[in-house]
């Protein structure tokens, strides 16, 4: 079983990395680019858990370590391999 975790800056927070990427893309003539938000993508291999247990454990992992709840949001999906 695989957990795909996506961590992104909260919409209310300024994202300096995303702004720098957007400016660089504009400089490279990608003028169609609007806002860019820079985040993290993680894959976590899980063994010995039911789908429901995996969801609970990954939720805990995100809240305790993988995402900073003050400035980041997260979402995840559990994929059966």
């Amino acid at each position: 079983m695989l957990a795909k975790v996506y961590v992104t800056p909260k919409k209310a927070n300024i994202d300096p990395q995303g702004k720098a990427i957007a400016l660089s893309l504009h400089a490279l003539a990608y003028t169609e680019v609007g806002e860019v938000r820079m985040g993290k993508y993680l894959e976590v291999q899980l063994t010995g858990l039911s789908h429901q247990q995996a969801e609970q454990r990954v939720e805990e992992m995100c809240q305790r370590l993988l995402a900073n709840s003050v400035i980041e949001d997260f979402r995840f999906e559990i994929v059966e391999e």
Side-chain angles (χ1 to χ4, degrees):
M1 190 172 313
L2 181 68
K4 296 181 177 184
V5 182
Y6 306 87
V7 180
T8 55
K10 289 189 176 196
K11 290 288 184 187
N13 292 341
I14 295 171
D15 180 8
Q17 281 183 302
K19 288 197 181 301
I21 292 167
L23 289 173
S24 295
L25 289 170
H26 291 164
L28 293 171
Y30 295 106
T31 56
E32 68 275 14
V33 172
E35 182 181 16
V36 175
R37 308 288 289 172
M38 178 70 181
K40 299 181 279 190
Y41 171 73
L42 302 97
E43 290 186 351
V44 180
Q45 191 73 39
L46 303 165
T47 58
L49 300 174
S50 70
H51 191 88
Q52 183 179 8
Q53 289 171 322
E55 286 182 341
Q56 290 172 331
R57 298 295 283 173
V58 173
E59 178 80 25
E60 287 177 19
M61 290 176 203
C62 290
Q63 290 176 356
R64 296 182 70 193
L65 178 68
L66 302 179
N68 179 341
S69 63
V70 174
I71 60 171
E72 295 174 318
D73 290 322
F74 66 87
R75 66 182 172 83
F76 63 87
E77 58 184 290
I78 305 297
V79 179
E80 304 287 338
E81 295 182 300

